[in-house]
Amino acid sequence: MPTIRVVLPTHLKTLSRVSGEVVLELDGVVTQRTVLDALEAKYPMLCGTIRDHVTKKRRAFIRFYACEQDFSNESPDAPLPEAVVNGSEPYLVVGAMAGG
Amino acid sequence: MSKVRVLVGTRKGAFILESDGKREKWDVSGPHFAGWEIFHMKGSPVDKDRIYVSQTSGWFGQIIQRSDDGGKTWFQPGTPAGEVNLSPEGFPMGESNKFVYDEAAAPLTTHMWYDGTQHPWEFKRVWHIEPSLSDPDTIFAGVEDAAMFRSKDGGKTWQEMAGLRGNGTGSQWAPGAGGLGLHTIIIDPSNEDRMYGAISSAGCFRTDDCCKTWKTITKGLTSLYIPDPNAEIGHCIHRIAMHPSRPNTLFMQKHWDVCRSDDAGESWYEVSGDLPSDFGFPIDVHAHEPNTVFVVPIKSDSEHYPPEGKLRVYRSKSGGMDWEPMTKGLPQENCYVNILRDAMCVDNLDDCGVYFGTTGGQVYASRNGGDTWDAIVRDLPPVLSVEVQVLK
């Protein structure tokens, strides 16, 4: 079973009361959607803070990075890199630079 | 002796100030929810240790926080009916920030955008929280894009009261500079089915059936930026205030003009009188004198600071028209702060306390109905909202 490492921005760590990385165990294909679904299932207080509650679209000032690539605008159902799947690289949820 | 608690929402967190009834020495706690915008925090009048907070962020969206112990500890309410109330890790479930427009009750249409085109309704944040006068678990939330939501389970779940958004005028509502927010919610204490709402920049509305239907109540208002002198929609209401003993009398600070209604909003007339500027944001009424009103004049809609750099609260003891400046203890030179619409309140101690917060991070208090003022805290982040509770 793939074990995924997720790094949250500081405010979402506070909200979900975690201090370091989040570790998720997933069945099946590892995509952005399955990672975020598992993240919200484990930490329901994050629902609505990363993706819209209903449409599941990424919030405008959130970005998703992994393996030095920007996956923010990639299909949520595309498989993530093997390095994320095997846990050697984390999946990063990032608060975008905004506000000047 | 009485105890007083002041709830201060700022751009970067919440602060709680507590004092005894003398209101001379204040203990400050915070920042709570550091780094988040706290648009509003308000306690239930039924259970004063029950405090609700609107915590919001451009990055992470809307969060509702609740305290049941007067602000010592906080949690996100949120337990879907019939489901377990904790996640496998023991955390509360996350439904309390789910504000979804009720498209079945009122189709999700469009509102006016800045360029005159129509724009889809999109939830952004909770501007104002108004707890029920009789039930600590019932709360109303005024949101952007403008709509009324209600929770009947202590903030765990929210339902839109779609009669306001669906009252038939929504396509004409346009956002003010700060957005299309329902910022004022007033419950008539003599009849809780009657409520008032105000929206920038759409107008003001009244329901007589607890939010099922809403009537536009803008007759008599005129706004220079609207060419039609009889326009029903488009008035940029900044704040409405009511004294609980006289619920049919309303005072309004509009984008320009201070106005008054004596018939529950059916008609309005201007009472700006001799104010140095009738632009401003907050307005409130003395706790024991229903004809004594407070405003803070601001120079103009582009210069959001006090005229002449002098911070003055103006008080009318005649229900408007005749205003006197309250200056003792307030900076009378080089003051260029703003006071936002939810950042003024009064307490109901024998000698009425008046409080307001500034975008410069000060919270000023008067222990004598506005005669003199002290900064009870300063150098906070810009203050968005101020509410006060008298605990005994």
Side-chain angles (χ1 to χ4, degrees):
Chain A
M1 180 177 290
T3 300
I4 311 300
R5 296 159 52 204
V6 178
V7 176
L8 296 172
T10 300
H11 287 309
L12 297 189
K13 284 182 185 174
T14 304
L15 205 59
S16 51
R17 304 175 204 176
V18 299
S19 53
E21 292 181 354
V22 172
V23 176
L24 303 171
E25 293 189 344
L26 269 66
D27 286 325
V29 179
V30 177
T31 67
Q32 297 196 80
R33 188 189 305 278
T34 59
V35 169
L36 294 172
D37 284 349
L39 178 69
E40 291 174 354
K42 188 169 184 179
Y43 300 99
M45 66 285 286
L46 297 181
C47 292
T49 64
I50 298 170
R51 303 182 294 178
D52 182 86
H53 266 294
V54 177
T55 66
K56 301 299 182 186
K57 287 176 64 175
R58 171 178 58 82
R59 290 186 55 79
F61 293 157
I62 295 284
R63 294 289 184 271
F64 303 129
Y65 300 158
C67 304
E68 300 181 346
Q69 297 176 62
D70 184 353
F71 288 88
S72 306
N73 297 315
E74 300 300 319
S75 165
D77 297 314
L80 283 167
E82 181 57 28
V84 174
V85 177
N86 66 28
S88 60
E89 288 287 337
Y91 178 74
L92 307 174
V93 178
V94 178
M97 280 192 291
Chain B
M1 176 178 279
S2 300
K3 189 176 169 187
V4 180
R5 182 191 293 145
V6 177
L7 309 173
V8 182
T10 80
R11 286 261 181 241
K12 293 295 176 186
F15 297 83
I16 297 179
L17 285 56
E18 292 186 318
S19 175
D20 61 24
K22 293 180 181 176
R23 297 163 291 182
E24 292 172 348
K25 294 179 66 177
W26 294 86
D27 295 324
V28 180
S29 74
H32 305 273
F33 325 114
W36 291 70
E37 286 187 294
I38 307 301
F39 258 56
H40 196 211
M41 50 196 307
K42 192 161 186 177
S44 164
V46 185
D47 175 359
K48 294 186 176 178
D49 280 342
R50 171 76 65 88
I51 300 170
Y52 294 99
V53 173
S54 170
Q55 169 187 348
T56 185
S57 153
W59 286 271
F60 309 118
Q62 178 65 45
I63 301 291
I64 295 292
Q65 297 276 2
R66 179 178 130 188
S67 176
D68 289 343
D69 56 14
K72 294 182 181 68
T73 60
W74 300 91
F75 63 99
Q76 285 175 262
T79 307
E83 295 185 29
V84 293
N85 62 2
L86 295 174
S87 74
E89 285 69 34
F91 299 129
M93 301 292 275
E95 292 286 303
S96 60
N97 61 341
K98 191 172 183 178
F99 289 82
V100 178
Y101 296 110
D102 186 349
E103 296 184 56
L108 197 58
T109 54
T110 55
H111 61 78
M112 188 83 78
W113 195 235
Y114 297 102
D115 61 3
T117 62
Q118 289 290 301
H119 193 81
W121 233 275
E122 297 167 336
F123 173 79
K124 297 183 179 67
R125 58 179 63 84
V126 173
W127 278 35
H128 183 92
I129 290 172
E130 192 64 34
S132 158
L133 303 180
S134 55
D135 175 14
D137 283 335
T138 296
I139 332 112
F140 297 89
V143 313
E144 177 191 2
D145 287 336
M148 173 82 86
F149 281 76
R150 180 177 67 182
S151 172
K152 297 178 77 173
D153 54 14
K156 296 172 184 172
T157 60
W158 296 85
Q159 298 78 40
E160 187 194 5
M161 310 298 285
L164 176 59
R165 183 175 52 82
N167 96 327
T169 61
S171 64
Q172 303 171 61
W173 300 1
L180 182 64
L182 171 60
H183 53 69
T184 298
I185 301 171
I186 299 175
I187 305 171
D188 182 339
S190 66
N191 170 15
E192 290 194 48
D193 284 346
R194 170 170 280 190
M195 301 170 67
Y196 299 89
I199 296 169
S200 292
S201 93
C204 47
F205 305 86
R206 190 186 75 215
T207 177
D208 292 327
D209 52 16
C210 197
C211 301
K212 293 185 182 70
T213 59
W214 290 81
K215 175 182 182 180
T216 307
I217 49 167
T218 53
K219 186 179 177 185
L221 299 181
T222 58
S223 296
L224 291 173
Y225 47 87
I226 304 176
D228 177 1
N230 300 311
E232 186 184 34
I233 299 296
H235 300 282
C236 190
I237 316 298
H238 283 180
R239 190 71 174 163
I240 297 174
M242 167 207 286
H243 191 278
S245 73
R246 213 167 53 175
N248 284 344
T249 296
L250 303 171
F251 296 97
M252 172 192 292
Q253 173 69 67
K254 195 159 62 64
H255 192 90
W256 293 99
D257 301 339
V258 177
C259 300
R260 171 176 175 155
S261 171
D262 294 312
D263 52 11
E266 292 291 333
S267 63
W268 296 88
Y269 56 98
E270 187 176 351
V271 293
S272 304
D274 53 1
L275 287 170
S277 165
D278 60 12
F279 186 90
F281 290 95
I283 188 166
D284 216 331
V285 185
H286 192 288
H288 311 301
E289 301 170 14
N291 232 19
T292 295
V293 188
F294 304 95
V295 295
V296 186
I298 294 298
K299 188 176 179 186
S300 75
D301 48 3
S302 61
E303 300 153 292
H304 277 184
Y305 47 73
E308 306 170 65
K310 299 177 179 179
L311 183 54
R312 290 165 289 186
V313 174
Y314 273 72
R315 180 175 68 190
S316 172
K317 291 196 163 189
S318 57
M321 296 309 290
D322 302 310
W323 299 88
E324 53 179 337
M326 307 286 107
T327 62
K328 291 179 183 172
L330 299 176
Q332 294 305 296
E333 60 180 4
N334 302 323
C335 182
Y336 294 94
V337 297
N338 195 4
I339 292 83
L340 301 181
R341 70 186 87 230
D342 241 340
M344 178 182 255
C345 60
V346 299
D347 74 32
N348 60 2
L349 290 174
D350 289 344
D351 216 349
C352 173
V354 189
Y355 306 80
F356 70 91
T358 79
T359 55
Q362 306 88 16
V363 177
Y364 290 100
S366 170
R367 295 182 292 272
N368 43 34
D371 290 339
T372 62
W373 298 84
D374 294 302
I376 59 174
V377 67
R378 55 173 67 246
D379 304 324
L380 299 182
V383 174
L384 303 179
S385 65
V386 179
E387 296 285 353
V388 62
Q389 300 175 287
V390 175
L391 302 179
K392 292 178 187 172

